[in-house]
Amino acid sequence: PLSLHVPAFSGIPGKNCGTIIIKAEELGNCRESVLMQFCGNKLDKKDFFGKSDPFLVFYRSNEDGTFTICHKTEVVKNTLDPVWQAFKIPVRALCNGDYDREIKIEVYDWDRDGGHDYIGEFSTSYRELSKGQSQFSVYEVLNPRKKKKKKKYQNSGTVTLLSCLVDTEVSFLDYIKGGTQINFTVAIDFTASNGNPSQPTSLHYLSPYQQNAYSMALRAVGEIIQDYDSDKMFPALGFGAKLPPDGRVSHEFALNGNPDNPYCSGIEGVMEAYYQSLKSVRLYGPTYFSPVINHVARYASLVKDGSEYFILLIISDGVISDMAQTKESIVNASALPMSIIIVGVGPAEFDEMIELDGDEIRISSRGRFAERDIVQFVPFRDYIDRRGNHILSMARLAKDVLAEIPDQFLQYMRTRGIKPQCPPQSYSSKLPAAPLQTQI
């Protein structure tokens, strides 16, 4: 393992404020997690006026023989026979995937002043713990000091592993490898607040020298998402414009002019359809989000077996005119296999879009809360590089915009009990007989 000694803290003149030691070890390629529950029996009484307030501390052993805390249970008050709540922990955190590495568990009596009383300890391994899938495992809690002093000392009680359930954590890529299709849809704001596209001050202005904010955001996000879409055919929609030939206002129109087949070939096809739309439609308003959300939701509602997942990218310049309907649409969509990305362009305040993001407060509509957070909002202006390094700044935009998608995707699949078509191999049922060495 790598060990770094950070120089002593400074801050108080003439005083050494301590040292931090950082230890690093290469992570093993183990994706199992384990759900365990323990109880204690006849633990030592430590409190003068009561019994004990026991809790457990789990330590992973390091390759240099030292130990690192990896989990603490809650405190169970005033009992010598505690039953702790079940907890889930990655096997990497417990033993870094080395099934025979020592795991030390100490038992303490909690004290209000932080000087917790040591009751005793026991050692085990993940291989030993995993036997708890089929049987109770009882461990003697031993206090080495008491053992030395008292000839008749047996133990300081016992701790029993009541249950042990091993699960293999699956990733976003496991589903993609298993054949889940990502369907990407783009929706672009064509309301008049963007400014006249023929004027350089417009957010839709097509300059011969540089891309506008809509083009940059679309390309930055789209070029990454298209790698997860096998056919690379993307529906591209617009909203808030008057359409030829009769000038009717539409909040859900195909950028390529074909409502029966709004698909464009790759991000380049979407860009071309966007440029052509700017020449044919008239910017109008108001700004309605719900029609394009409902458009994608209609398709997502037809596929609930995990074979497809839908991502809607909305690029808009400001105030949402149908906030109540948009909230309702998002709450409904939160039960479907879809996520929504909103990129705000221009100088406007984006309070409503921040509210839709739902990171602070889960979005609700008419007393119903969204089943999960499916919206990610970012303001484009936060990613404009004043030095003109657009490649780096757009890479940052794409990273932040897409950061929540894998977790939103996995949350949908887990709550529906949908597994990848080709799940990764689980090792728990057939732990190897020979010790596993962590490779460095």
Side-chain angles (χ1 to χ4, degrees):
L2 174 68
S3 185
L4 297 174
H5 285 252
V6 178
F9 284 116
S10 59
I12 302 173
K15 187 173 180 182
N16 182 341
C17 297
T19 304
I20 289 181
I21 299 172
I22 300 169
K23 294 192 175 182
E25 183 179 330
E26 184 177 343
L27 282 175
N29 187 24
C30 175
R31 296 199 299 176
E32 288 180 356
S33 61
V34 59
L35 179 70
M36 297 185 286
Q37 185 174 25
F38 290 86
C39 72
N41 185 244
K42 297 181 180 176
L43 298 176
D44 283 355
K45 178 179 178 299
K46 289 288 184 180
D47 292 343
F48 189 74
F49 291 110
K51 296 179 179 178
S52 283
D53 305 318
F55 66 96
L56 301 177
V57 181
F58 289 73
Y59 294 85
R60 177 183 69 245
S61 61
N62 302 316
E63 293 183 320
D64 60 359
T66 59
F67 287 88
T68 301
I69 293 177
C70 57
H71 182 73
K72 285 183 183 178
T73 67
E74 79 284 5
V75 176
V76 181
K77 293 290 188 73
N78 197 30
T79 179
L80 303 180
D81 304 299
V83 178
W84 290 283
Q85 292 176 12
F87 65 92
K88 192 173 188 178
I89 185 170
V91 173
R92 285 198 302 194
L94 206 54
C95 62
N96 202 10
D98 180 347
Y99 299 139
D100 293 299
R101 187 182 292 204
E102 182 183 1
I103 298 166
K104 184 170 74 171
I105 300 156
E106 292 181 343
V107 188
Y108 285 91
D109 165 47
W110 178 85
D111 281 340
R112 190 181 301 276
D113 63 4
H116 311 309
D117 298 319
Y118 173 77
I119 294 176
E121 65 186 60
F122 60 95
S123 290
T124 183
S125 66
Y126 178 60
R127 189 186 299 281
E128 191 68 35
L129 289 169
S130 66
K131 292 177 183 174
Q133 292 179 93
S134 56
Q135 65 190 48
F136 283 164
S137 298
V138 183
Y139 299 94
E140 279 193 303
V141 177
L142 300 176
N143 185 324
R145 287 183 185 174
K146 278 193 172 183
K147 197 172 183 181
K148 276 185 180 179
K149 286 181 181 178
K150 299 180 181 179
K151 285 186 179 179
K152 291 184 179 180
Y153 175 80
Q154 289 185 315
N155 58 50
S156 295
T158 60
V159 168
T160 301
L161 175 58
L162 296 174
S163 64
C164 176
L165 295 172
V166 178
D167 187 28
T168 300
E169 297 287 342
V170 292
S171 70
F172 173 69
L173 286 179
D174 290 323
Y175 287 90
I176 301 302
K177 289 174 185 173
T180 297
Q181 295 292 312
I182 300 296
N183 297 314
F184 178 49
T185 302
V186 177
I188 292 177
D189 182 340
F190 282 83
T191 55
S193 56
N194 284 282
N196 185 338
S198 64
Q199 300 297 318
T201 52
S202 171
L203 293 166
H204 280 303
Y205 180 64
L206 297 180
S207 163
Y209 306 109
Q210 64 180 47
Q211 292 182 314
N212 64 31
Y214 281 89
S215 302
M216 290 171 74
L218 182 53
R219 191 178 288 280
V221 178
E223 284 186 344
I224 290 180
I225 289 183
Q226 73 174 355
D227 289 337
Y228 296 93
D229 191 312
S230 59
D231 64 3
K232 295 183 173 41
M233 296 296 291
F234 309 127
L237 308 174
F239 58 92
K242 283 188 171 183
L243 306 187
D246 56 0
R248 67 181 178 86
V249 178
S250 175
H251 302 288
E252 178 194 343
F253 63 90
L255 292 189
N256 65 4
N258 186 349
D260 297 324
N261 184 12
Y263 290 86
C264 301
S265 178
I267 290 304
E268 291 305 329
V270 175
M271 303 291 285
E272 185 57 34
Y274 162 58
Y275 297 146
Q276 291 305 318
S277 284
L278 283 174
K279 296 174 184 175
S280 61
V281 305
R282 184 177 154 211
L283 273 55
Y284 200 67
T287 306
Y288 290 166
F289 275 17
S290 59
V292 291
I293 294 172
N294 293 338
H295 175 100
V296 175
R298 283 195 296 274
Y299 290 94
S301 66
L302 303 175
V303 191
K304 296 183 181 178
D305 60 356
S307 62
E308 296 182 45
Y309 194 86
F310 296 77
I311 298 173
L312 168 62
L313 169 63
I314 300 174
I315 310 177
S316 177
D317 80 319
V319 180
I320 301 166
S321 306
D322 65 338
M323 191 64 173
Q325 294 91 330
T326 295
K327 284 184 174 181
E328 176 81 2
S329 297
I330 290 171
V331 169
N332 292 337
S334 69
L336 300 174
M338 70 178 278
S339 291
I340 300 166
I341 297 165
I342 304 173
V343 177
V345 295
E349 292 300 319
F350 296 121
D351 293 348
E352 290 165 323
M353 297 184 189
I354 292 167
E355 184 182 343
L356 295 180
D357 192 300
D359 282 346
E360 304 276 324
I361 301 170
R362 181 65 58 91
I363 193 170
S364 64
S365 172
R366 296 189 293 179
R368 284 192 311 133
F369 282 87
E371 184 181 306
R372 58 197 176 94
D373 175 17
I374 64 167
V375 179
Q376 168 75 334
F377 164 72
V378 296
F380 183 82
R381 58 175 173 247
D382 288 358
Y383 299 87
I384 297 171
D385 191 314
R386 304 298 173 196
R387 294 163 297 179
N389 189 347
H390 295 311
I391 294 175
L392 194 60
S393 58
M394 289 305 98
R396 269 199 318 120
L397 170 72
K399 176 178 174 289
D400 289 355
V401 156
L402 299 171
E404 293 183 12
I405 297 291
D407 283 343
Q408 291 174 2
F409 174 99
L410 289 171
Q411 194 177 8
Y412 176 82
M413 297 300 180
R414 284 172 187 151
T415 55
R416 299 299 186 279
I418 299 169
K419 302 282 187 186
Q421 288 300 307
C422 302
Q425 184 183 7
S426 173
Y427 307 103
S428 57
S429 57
K430 44 184 178 182
L431 294 175
L436 281 180
Q437 296 300 317
T438 306
Q439 294 185 346
I440 297 296

